[in-house]
């Protein structure tokens, strides 16, 4: 045991002009203070204490057989012209050295701080210091300092050395042996004179010269327990678990692909009147095969007349030569759309009451495919430009935490934060590996489908040209990249999670939700889906609003009014565009010039609303679309009203909730309309739908197990900290990372396989909804 001495002094004098000065001289240091001891708070408030108790630096450890005597000089002085009574008491501490796995209770106050010594056992490389208290206040600070005298154990200097964090009811600090060459350290406990740093009330008075004596009101009972942390073998087990768990998805995908290959190979003997379908085995052909259909033909055209009036749109003279699938700048979508007869044709077709897929898949396949490939290349560019500054910033955050020792900067779950190298919470970063691995696997699955589709196109397979949903893989590639980048940016956020960088964790979530909605819409509307430029510009606006919400969304009412107006107007504008299939125009001169050329637009709009909705209340022309849009607008208006009334502090999650609700609403509508149209769900998409629902339900359960919250002070956030629940290494939020990655992967597979049952259905028989 190490000997330590504690000096207690008390003076009845409250005269601040003539304090009593105490100087303690030891062999290797000097410690001094005054009575009354003055602490300063917010707005220069002062708090005076007549009772002061300080622990002196312990003597050098010596063998127990030769106890050493400490020589201590205590000098007491005052400049007062009169006598001042004081009391001095020196005692020897019995329990100065803390023991492993043994709880120790004590009391501290602002003028009577405490610190204790801990030595690493031989077989322990890291420990966790757990500190608990029954009362949240007074606010306190827990610090870990090297064996250096003097010890910084007062409110104004405790942050000068070591690692520290504020505390209300709970604190936890992980300490590694390698950080302390002497294999021992001090654990310091300081009580703050005010509670505002821990989320307590700020004193109302702004006068700093009021004399306040709080000797007994600011005491706090604390319990400290030091327990060994995990061993290095647990790190290895956690890494193997993470990688092998997601490699099993690769194995499952290989097995499914192999079974599919075997089933296709067994049907190589083609019976008369049947045709091979790439990726779908053999199906009996009920229509003549146009073997001479060139690759560059309009893949929505049917050679025979159909119930929807589908006709061959591109004449052989206008078709580019077969095999000319190049990236020529001449082949632009505008070359097709600006022809007057095509423009009028679109207006006639898209305003029909009952639309079929052949009506909205009339453009040249190569041009449309290139349009959707831009999604893939643009998101790679966005990812690089977005991720590099983010990585640089979080490295700076981590460096600041390591250099200053201020653990209030980052909102970790300190009861389950396992450091590795310079990283404070390696487990939160490792758990994001699932997003990257499953995102890459999804890219491989899409690539396989893309290759099979290209082979079928080269073989002039009529089922690939004129049957089923048109295959465009650009959005799927973009979704795979977005899933991988979500893992990268979530890992960056968890390097130092706090209020300022939470947008890193959500930016690509917005893009994933938006890309999924675009993909669902593209499935039945391949010719009129949004271009990559307008889609990513919209995402940029959303992310800009998220940044503004972080800055102004806390208390500024004007921001929420403007945002709610933008939200409602954007919902109405998008609903109009969807309802009229992109054929809604505000005059011939365009949107920017219509006020000067067509001022009657508002009068005509009012007349239409009056005659159709009030005078005779006619039935909407597109009932299904109208039902979806009404429900969607009600949901979005509810979000706008909720934000306006409650103004949630977590603005990024608020926007994400809007995206997710709209995506789920649209997906439910799509599946309902699909079943209503007598289409069926094959076993693979049905399995993916069930897996998606189950895994999302489990993931959301762990997501709502709040382990920290940057909406509160760091000390209040630590009250929510919980121990690890998986392998002694991962906490609830890490399990959320694992399950959400799997849920997103299954969600993507739903979109990829949902319409596989239509591969043998002619496009003029597939309804648009």
């Amino acid at each position: 045991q190490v000997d330590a001495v504690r000096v207690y002094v008390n003076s009845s004098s409250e005269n601040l002009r003539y304090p009593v000065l105490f100087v303690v001289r030891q062999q290797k240091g000097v410690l001094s203070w005054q009575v009354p001891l003055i602490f300063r708070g917010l707005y220069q408030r002062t708090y005076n204490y007549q009772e002061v108790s300080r622990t002196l630096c312990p003597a050098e450890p010596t063998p127990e057989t030769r106890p050493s005597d400490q020589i201590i000089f205590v000098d007491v002085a005052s400049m007062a012209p009169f006598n001042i009574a004081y009391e001095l008491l020196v005692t020897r501490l019995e329990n100065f050295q803390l023991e492993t796995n043994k709880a120790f209770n004590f009391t501290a106050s602002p003028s009577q701080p405490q610190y204790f010594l801990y030595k690493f056992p031989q077989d322990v490389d890291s420990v966790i210091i757990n500190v608990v208290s029954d009362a949240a206040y007074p606010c306190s600070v827990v610090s870990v300092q090297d064996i250096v005298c003097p010890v910084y154990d007062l409110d104004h200097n405790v942050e000068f050395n070591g690692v520290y964090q504020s505390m209300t009811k709970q604190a936890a600090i992980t300490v590694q042996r390698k950080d302390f060459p002497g294999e021992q350290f001090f654990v310091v406990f300081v009580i703050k004179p005010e509670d505002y740093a821990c989320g307590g009330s700020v004193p109302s008075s702004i006068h700093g010269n009021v004399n306040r004596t709080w000797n007994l009101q600011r005491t706090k009972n604390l319990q400290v327990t030091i327990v060994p942390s995990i061993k290095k073998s647990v790190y290895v087990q956690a890494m193997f678990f993470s990688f092998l768990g997601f490699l099993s998805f690769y194995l499952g995908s290989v097995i499914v692909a192999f079974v599919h290959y075997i089933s296709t190979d067994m049907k190589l003997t083609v019976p008369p009147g049947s045709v091979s379908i790439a990726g779908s085995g053999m199906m009996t052909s009920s229509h003549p095969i146009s073997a001479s259909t060139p690759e560059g033909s309009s893949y929505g055209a049917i050679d025979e007349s159909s119930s929807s009036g589908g006709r061959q749109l591109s004449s052989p003279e206008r078709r580019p030569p077969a095999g000319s699938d190049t990236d020529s700048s001449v082949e632009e979508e505008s070359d097709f759309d600006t022809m007057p007869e095509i423009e009028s044709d679109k207006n006639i077709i898209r305003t029909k009451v009952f639309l079929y897929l052949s009506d909205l898949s009339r453009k040249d396949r190569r041009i449309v495919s290139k349009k959707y490939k831009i999604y893939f290349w643009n998101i790679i560019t966005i990812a690089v430009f977005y991720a590099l500054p983010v990585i640089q910033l979080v490295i700076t955050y981590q460096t600041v935490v390591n250099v200053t020792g201020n653990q209030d900067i980052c909102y970790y779950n300190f009861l389950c934060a396992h450091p590795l190298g310079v990283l404070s919470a390696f487990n939160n970063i490792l758990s994001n590996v699932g997003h990257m691995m499953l995102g890459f696997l999804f890219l491989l699955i899409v690539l396989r489908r893309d290759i099979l589709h290209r082979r079928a196109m080269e073989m002039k397979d009529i089922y690939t040209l004129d049957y089923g949903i048109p295959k465009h893989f650009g959005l799927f590639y973009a979704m795979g990249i977005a899933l991988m980048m979500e893992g990268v940016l979530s890992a960056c956020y968890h390097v130092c999670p706090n209020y300022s960088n939470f947008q890193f964790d959500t930016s690509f979530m917005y893009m994933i939700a938006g890309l999924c909605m675009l993909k669902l819409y593209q499935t039945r509307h391949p010719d009129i889906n949004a271009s990559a430029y307008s889609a990513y510009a919209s995402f940029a606006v959303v992310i800009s609003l998220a940044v503004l919400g972080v800055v102004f969304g806390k208390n500024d009412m004007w921001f929420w009014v403007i945002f709610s107006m933008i939200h409602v107007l954007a919902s109405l504008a998008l609903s109009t565009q969807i309802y009229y299939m992109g054929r809604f125009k505000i005059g011939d001169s365009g949107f920017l010039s219509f006020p000067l050329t067509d001022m009657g637009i508002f009068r005509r709009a009012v007349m239409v609303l009056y005659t159709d909705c009030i005078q005779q209340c006619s039935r909407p022309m597109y009932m299904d679309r109208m039902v979806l849009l009404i429900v969607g607008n009600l949901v979005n208006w509810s979000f706008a009203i909720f934000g306006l009334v409650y103004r949630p502090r977590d603005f990024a999650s608020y926007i994400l909730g809007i995206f997710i609700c709209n995506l789920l609403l649209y997906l439910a509508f799509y599946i309902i309309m699909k079943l209503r149209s007598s289409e069926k769900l094959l076993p693979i998409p049905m399995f993916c739908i069930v897996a998606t629902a189950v895994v999302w339900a489990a993931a959301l359960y762990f997501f709502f197990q709040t382990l920290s919250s940057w909406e509160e002070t760091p000390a209040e956030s630590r009250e929510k900290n919980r121990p690890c629940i998986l392998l002694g290494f991962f906490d609830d939020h890490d399990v959320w990372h694992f399950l959400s990655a799997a849920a997103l992967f299954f969600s993507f597979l739903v979109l990829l396989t949902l319409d596989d049952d239509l591969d043998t259905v002619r496009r003029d028989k597939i309804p648009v909804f």
Side-chain angles (χ1 to χ4, degrees):
Q1 288 288 335
V2 176
D3 293 331
V5 174
R6 190 167 179 85
V7 177
Y8 167 85
V9 296
N10 181 19
S11 175
S12 59
S13 173
E14 297 184 5
N15 192 330
L16 300 181
R17 294 184 59 189
Y18 302 107
V20 181
L21 306 179
F22 293 87
V23 179
V24 180
R25 291 178 290 144
Q26 295 179 265
Q27 181 179 350
K28 289 187 176 181
V30 176
L31 182 65
S32 63
W33 65 90
Q34 68 179 50
V35 177
L37 185 61
I38 301 174
F39 290 97
R40 297 194 178 275
L42 201 62
Y43 307 120
Q44 296 302 311
R45 294 182 184 84
T46 58
Y47 302 92
N48 308 327
Y49 292 83
Q50 269 66 48
E51 295 183 3
V52 180
S53 181
R54 305 287 295 277
T55 301
L56 306 183
C57 262
E60 292 290 337
T62 58
E64 295 182 1
T65 55
R66 296 182 55 192
S68 62
D69 296 330
Q70 294 189 51
I71 300 177
I72 301 173
F73 295 93
V74 180
D75 301 331
V76 183
S78 177
M79 301 293 290
F82 46 84
N83 293 332
I84 296 178
Y86 69 89
E87 180 182 356
L88 173 65
L89 179 64
V90 179
T91 57
R92 181 177 179 274
L93 292 180
E94 299 292 337
N95 299 294
F96 181 69
Q97 185 171 337
L98 299 176
E99 299 180 15
T100 307
N101 291 320
K102 185 177 181 181
F104 178 69
N105 297 279
F106 60 95
T107 303
S109 71
S111 63
Q112 302 182 42
Q114 299 269 14
Y115 67 86
F116 304 95
L117 176 71
Y118 180 80
K119 294 183 178 181
F120 280 98
Q122 291 297 324
D123 57 341
V124 175
D125 292 325
S126 66
V127 295
I128 299 178
I129 304 171
N130 292 324
V131 186
V132 295
S133 176
D134 294 333
Y137 303 110
C139 178
S140 54
V141 176
V142 181
S143 173
V144 176
Q145 301 179 18
D146 202 357
I147 307 296
V148 177
C149 293
V151 177
Y152 298 99
D153 61 349
L154 293 178
D155 176 59
H156 63 271
N157 62 15
V158 68
E159 300 175 359
F160 290 175
N161 186 25
V163 178
Y164 62 91
Q165 57 182 236
S166 56
M167 171 190 165
T168 51
K169 289 186 175 182
Q170 181 173 258
I173 301 178
T174 300
V175 183
Q176 301 182 83
R177 180 195 292 265
K178 66 180 182 62
D179 296 330
F180 295 93
E183 300 183 352
Q184 56 185 352
F185 55 83
F186 289 134
V187 187
V188 184
F189 303 91
V190 174
I191 310 299
K192 300 183 75 66
E194 291 180 345
D195 295 330
Y196 69 90
C198 293
S201 60
V202 177
S204 57
S205 173
I206 61 172
H207 302 291
N209 55 358
V210 180
N211 186 351
R212 299 177 178 85
T213 303
W214 289 356
N215 289 343
L216 301 178
Q217 300 175 4
R218 301 289 295 177
T219 59
K220 188 167 188 174
N221 297 319
L222 298 163
Q223 182 186 82
V224 57
T225 309
I226 300 182
V227 297
S229 185
I230 60 174
K231 298 183 179 296
K232 293 180 180 179
S233 60
V234 180
Y235 282 82
V236 177
Q237 294 173 10
M239 292 182 190
F240 271 106
F241 172 82
S242 302
F243 285 98
L244 293 178
F246 290 107
L247 283 175
S248 63
F249 283 82
Y250 284 75
L251 179 61
S253 301
V254 170
I255 293 174
V256 171
F258 180 74
V259 171
H260 179 267
Y261 173 78
I262 293 297
S263 63
T264 305
D265 190 53
M266 292 174 61
K267 298 177 182 179
L268 283 177
T269 305
V270 183
S274 64
V275 63
S276 173
I277 301 175
S280 300
M282 301 296 172
M283 299 298 293
T284 301
S285 174
S286 59
H287 297 281
I289 302 172
S290 178
S292 61
T293 305
E295 180 186 0
S297 67
S298 177
Y299 59 87
I302 308 298
D303 289 337
E304 53 188 310
S305 59
S306 65
S307 60
S308 66
R311 54 186 173 85
Q312 197 80 5
L313 186 61
S314 301
S315 63
E317 292 77 16
R318 284 204 296 258
R319 292 175 191 149
S324 62
D325 194 4
T326 61
D327 288 333
S328 171
S329 61
V330 179
E331 296 169 351
E332 295 292 339
E333 185 184 351
S334 58
D335 295 340
F336 189 88
D337 283 348
T338 53
M339 294 190 299
E341 65 272 18
I342 300 302
E343 187 68 26
S344 61
D345 191 64
K346 288 195 297 185
N347 289 328
I348 294 172
I349 290 175
R350 295 183 193 175
T351 53
K352 294 193 305 183
V353 178
F354 298 104
L355 277 172
Y356 291 88
L357 188 57
S358 58
D359 297 324
L360 297 180
S361 58
R362 307 167 69 86
K363 297 180 182 177
D364 190 282
R365 179 192 65 83
R366 298 168 302 110
I367 295 176
V368 179
S369 292
K370 289 173 185 174
K371 170 185 174 181
Y372 291 122
K373 283 180 182 177
I374 300 175
Y375 275 97
F376 172 65
W377 294 112
N378 278 11
I379 199 170
I380 291 179
T381 306
I382 293 170
V384 172
F385 276 89
Y386 194 92
L388 291 180
V390 168
I391 294 173
Q392 181 181 3
L393 179 63
V394 297
I395 289 175
T396 303
Y397 267 119
Q398 185 67 71
T399 303
V400 170
V401 171
N402 295 340
V403 171
T404 63
N406 183 4
Q407 296 199 351
D408 285 352
I409 297 176
C410 306
Y411 286 73
Y412 303 117
N413 175 18
F414 288 91
L415 289 178
C416 188
H418 303 297
L420 181 67
V422 299
L423 300 173
S424 299
F426 174 69
N427 54 302
N428 294 151
I429 299 171
L430 176 63
S431 59
N432 286 286
V433 71
H435 295 88
M436 290 175 269
M437 294 183 67
L438 294 184
F440 185 70
L441 174 60
F442 184 73
L443 289 177
L444 294 179
I445 295 174
V446 174
L447 178 62
R448 175 182 175 274
R449 286 207 166 204
D450 195 1
I451 292 173
L452 292 175
H453 176 69
R454 291 184 184 182
R455 289 177 182 173
M457 294 297 296
E458 293 171 358
M459 295 169 57
K460 307 295 189 296
D461 187 353
I462 187 66
Y463 277 87
T464 305
L465 294 170
D466 296 333
Y467 286 68
I469 300 295
K471 301 295 191 295
H472 302 296
F473 297 98
L475 272 168
F476 283 127
Y477 285 123
M479 289 160 57
I481 296 295
L483 181 55
M484 295 178 68
M485 287 308 302
E486 171 57 31
V488 172
L489 292 177
S490 178
C492 290
Y493 164 69
H494 284 283
V495 170
C496 181
N498 58 53
Y499 181 78
S500 300
N501 61 14
F502 180 61
Q503 56 183 305
F504 303 157
D505 195 18
T506 54
S507 296
F508 270 81
M509 290 184 186
Y510 306 148
M511 301 187 74
I512 288 174
L515 290 172
C516 289
M517 284 188 279
L518 286 171
K519 184 59 199 177
L520 263 181
Y521 189 76
Q522 180 217 54
T523 303
R524 309 266 172 162
H525 312 78
D527 284 359
I528 61 174
N529 204 13
S531 67
Y533 305 113
S534 58
Y536 288 129
S538 302
F539 295 150
V541 171
V542 171
I543 293 175
S544 300
L545 289 173
V547 173
L548 293 176
V550 169
V551 178
F552 302 107
K554 296 180 182 178
N555 302 309
D556 294 326
M557 186 67 183
W558 63 267
F559 171 80
W560 284 98
V561 172
I562 295 175
F563 175 78
S564 299
M565 292 175 59
I566 294 174
H567 186 189
V568 171
L569 292 176
S571 300
L572 291 173
L574 186 60
S575 300
T576 304
Q577 196 74 1
I578 293 174
Y579 185 74
Y580 290 104
M581 293 287 182
R583 306 316 301 154
F584 180 77
K585 300 289 184 183
I586 306 182
D588 295 334
S589 302
F591 178 79
L592 294 178
S593 58
F594 87 86
L596 301 178
T597 60
D598 193 4
M599 292 299 292
I601 181 68
F602 299 107
R603 181 174 57 83
R604 294 201 303 275
V606 172
M607 289 301 297
V608 169
L609 290 174
Y610 175 75
T611 56
D612 290 353
C613 301
I614 300 176
Q615 194 173 35
Q616 58 185 7
C617 194
S618 60
R619 183 180 185 272
M621 184 177 293
Y622 315 111
M623 179 58 72
D624 293 331
R625 270 179 267 168
M626 178 60 75
V627 171
L628 168 67
L629 295 174
I630 288 177
V631 175
N633 276 276
L634 289 176
V635 170
N636 282 280
W637 295 353
S638 301
F639 267 103
I641 295 172
F642 173 83
L644 200 59
V645 173
Y646 292 98
R647 286 175 283 171
R649 291 191 62 187
D650 190 354
F651 186 75
S653 295
Y654 170 75
I655 293 186
L656 184 60
I658 295 174
F659 269 88
I660 292 177
C661 283
N662 281 276
L663 173 59
L664 293 177
L665 178 66
Y666 190 27
L667 180 61
F669 168 81
Y670 189 93
I671 295 176
I672 291 171
M673 292 301 298
K674 180 177 177 67
L675 297 176
R676 189 180 157 195
S677 302
S678 300
E679 299 175 11
K680 58 183 179 180
L681 295 175
L682 296 180
I684 289 182
M686 179 61 74
F687 168 78
C688 292
I689 290 174
V690 173
T692 300
V694 172
V695 178
W696 268 124
L700 290 174
Y701 170 79
F702 288 99
F703 175 75
F704 289 110
Q705 304 298 313
T706 307
L707 304 180
S708 61
S709 174
W710 42 253
E711 296 182 17
E712 302 172 339
T713 63
E716 291 174 315
S717 172
R718 272 185 279 274
E719 294 181 20
K720 299 178 171 63
N721 289 177
R722 297 183 191 173
C724 306
I725 63 169
L726 181 62
L727 300 178
F729 191 83
F730 297 111
D731 59 18
D732 298 75
H733 198 74
D734 295 323
V735 178
W736 149 255
H737 285 162
F738 291 137
L739 294 178
S740 64
L744 284 171
F745 176 71
F746 283 123
S747 302
F748 288 3
L749 290 182
V750 170
L751 299 182
L752 183 64
T753 62
L754 187 58
D755 289 312
D756 284 353
D757 61 298
L758 302 178
D759 284 347
T760 55
V761 180
R762 288 172 26 160
R763 288 178 188 154
D764 63 330
K765 303 292 185 183
I766 301 176
V768 171
F769 44 78

